[in-house]
Amino acid sequence: MSEIQNQIREKGQAALEQIETAKNLPDLDQIRVSVLGKKGSLSEALKTLGQVPAEERPKLGALANEWKSKIEAALEIKKTALEANQIEADLIKTKIDVTIPSRKVHVGSLHPITTTVRKISETLGRIGFDVTVGPEIETDFLNFEAVNIPKDHPARDMQDTFFVGPGVVLRSQTSPVQMRAMRAEKWPIRILCPGAVYRCDSDATHSPMFHQIEGLWVDKKVSMSDLKGVLGFFAKELFGTDTKIRLRPSYFPFVEPGAEVDVSCMLCAGKNHKCQVCKGTGWLEILGAGMVHPRLFELAGYKSDEVSGFAFGMGIERIAMLLHGIPDLRLMFHGDQRFLKQF
Ligand code: DAH
């Protein structure tokens, strides 16, 4: 038996013993490197193979490989065992007290403006209205001119409108979305357009940014009675089945005839002359409406003798305040958690 053969056996045997007694994974890895690594004991022994006669080399090579496999197998077995021990030890160390109460989860809530828009959209969605939106930065033309508000109209006063640049404004109403919709598609149209609007106005009952929702129904032979039917349904769905509506003649440049629409007071139904909400009148104004002005149809590229339609627009904050009994508009915008959490 050659010297090298002995060396291989001895080193191999020693390695197996070391592996057997290894205490942890880093030690085991150390052993692997010290035996099988580039400069490991087995590798070093193999380097001397060059010195033995050629005919003995294959035998020695085979022997070395046999030991290498044995050692690798032993390393693998030990590694699995040590890992299992480690898991076991970790489990004993880290006890979990399943009786500790869980952390409180803070669930956000939807803003009353959001829930009101959703409620209105859902209600009118049931009778065929689709929601569409337009930009908050709008051209002067679409915000005013195209909805029949001429250059000298008081609504265009610098005090009311935020001008962004030449011919560009922060929209002061959602009515321009009517015109956008009509220019984009042919009638029939039945849409709702919710969104933020801006006016240079700020006090207890006005905010420079607030929300409106616009409605538009254009088709052959849409009439004022359709308008009354839709708004009557809307009022009952929103404020309760006993709710009535009434239309008072009014003027809005983009409709003819135009009306202001009141709902019967949901708090006192007109029975309390001291009612805080309706001030004893029994009625609450909630929106403006009317039959689309023929001029708008012409500007949209429709033939005004072929179609008719109605439009309406309302302030969302006002509706939300009535629905929830919110006393002050400013509460909507302060972001006070105590207020918002109630919704
Ligand atoms: N745009 C109007 C406003 O801001 C509200 C309005 C009134 C919209 C009558 C309409 C309408 O569509 O027909 O005061």
Side-chain angles (χ1 to χ4, degrees):
M1 176 111 22
S2 75
E3 174 66 12
I4 297 180
Q5 247 174 329
N6 278 339
Q7 260 194 38
I8 292 173
R9 289 216 175 90
E10 255 169 48
K11 301 222 155 120
Q13 198 57 49
L16 287 182
E17 276 159 32
Q18 275 184 308
I19 290 168
E20 188 49 45
T21 54
K23 295 225 160 36
N24 51 43
L25 290 164
D27 284 1
L28 190 67
D29 202 51
Q30 200 77 48
I31 295 164
R32 182 185 62 77
V33 174
S34 75
V35 181
L36 302 178
K38 248 195 203 142
K39 292 192 172 151
S41 53
L42 201 64
S43 315
E44 291 292 334
L46 281 170
K47 278 185 195 154
T48 58
L49 265 181
Q51 297 160 15
V52 299
E55 64 274 14
E56 283 184 32
R57 277 180 214 158
K59 222 168 75 189
L60 286 172
L63 182 70
N65 276 333
E66 193 184 301
W67 275 96
K68 197 174 165 214
S69 307
K70 265 195 217 172
I71 291 164
E72 277 170 349
L75 280 167
E76 199 48 47
I77 291 167
K78 190 70 181 176
K79 190 174 166 217
T80 312
L82 285 174
E83 278 170 350
N85 285 352
Q86 186 63 49
I87 291 170
E88 192 68 23
D90 286 349
L91 282 176
I92 290 168
K93 238 192 326 195
T94 52
K95 275 200 197 120
I96 296 170
D97 183 350
V98 293
T99 66
I100 293 174
S102 61
R103 272 194 211 113
K104 207 171 167 184
V105 180
H106 292 280
V107 183
S109 56
L110 292 173
H111 195 281
I113 290 172
T114 306
T115 54
T116 304
V117 170
R118 289 193 185 176
K119 183 151 193 192
I120 295 170
S121 311
E122 187 274 321
T123 303
L124 291 172
R126 275 188 273 137
I127 54 169
F129 283 84
D130 285 329
V131 171
T132 181
V133 290
E136 291 173 25
I137 297 172
E138 184 57 282
T139 59
D140 183 287
F141 175 76
L142 282 169
N143 192 74
F144 295 124
E145 204 95 12
V147 288
N148 207 22
I149 304 177
K151 284 260 186 290
D152 54 0
H153 194 279
R156 303 185 62 136
D157 198 299
M158 291 285 274
Q159 281 174 17
D160 293 327
T161 308
F162 289 110
F163 289 86
V164 176
V168 183
V169 299
L170 289 183
R171 68 176 175 195
S172 61
Q173 51 183 353
T174 44
S175 301
V177 190
Q178 287 184 32
M179 186 52 78
R180 284 182 172 272
M182 289 197 286
R183 290 185 152 199
E185 54 188 290
K186 242 195 101 48
W187 53 273
I189 289 182
R190 210 184 305 179
I191 50 163
L192 289 173
C193 330
V197 299
Y198 302 84
R199 287 184 197 178
C200 195
D201 206 351
S202 185
D203 59 36
T205 52
H206 296 90
S207 157
M209 187 279 300
F210 60 103
H211 299 79
Q212 287 186 335
I213 195 160
E214 192 85 10
L216 176 71
W217 185 340
V218 179
D219 204 341
K220 250 182 206 166
K221 294 185 182 154
V222 174
S223 70
M224 195 90 185
S225 66
D226 293 320
L227 170 63
K228 277 189 81 173
V230 166
L231 294 180
F233 162 79
F234 168 75
K236 284 189 200 314
E237 290 296 310
L238 225 65
F239 298 112
T241 43
D242 294 335
T243 311
K244 293 180 183 57
I245 61 162
R246 80 174 178 188
L247 275 64
R248 285 178 288 107
S250 186
Y251 173 73
F252 299 100
F254 28 86
V255 284
E256 182 57 39
E260 271 170 333
V261 181
D262 301 339
V263 290
S264 54
C265 180
M266 61 289 302
L267 206 71
C268 75
K271 294 194 178 87
N272 176 5
H273 70 281
K274 285 186 184 147
C275 177
Q276 287 291 312
V277 174
C278 67
K279 307 278 180 288
T281 62
W283 294 98
L284 299 157
E285 187 197 323
I286 58 158
L287 55 84
M291 300 308 293
V292 178
H293 198 292
R295 204 174 128 68
L296 268 71
F297 287 140
E298 298 297 338
L299 276 167
Y302 293 0
K303 291 207 169 61
S304 59
D305 53 357
E306 272 178 22
V307 284
S308 58
F310 67 75
F312 58 91
M314 69 191 105
I316 293 167
E317 281 80 359
R318 168 117 173 111
I319 305 285
M321 287 168 80
L322 290 173
L323 283 176
H324 299 289
I326 299 165
D328 190 330
L329 175 75
R330 289 168 292 194
L331 285 166
M332 298 276 193
F333 305 113
H334 284 176
D336 188 327
Q337 293 271 325
R338 292 166 302 179
F339 169 72
L340 294 171
K341 269 186 184 163
Q342 299 174 63
F343 302 96

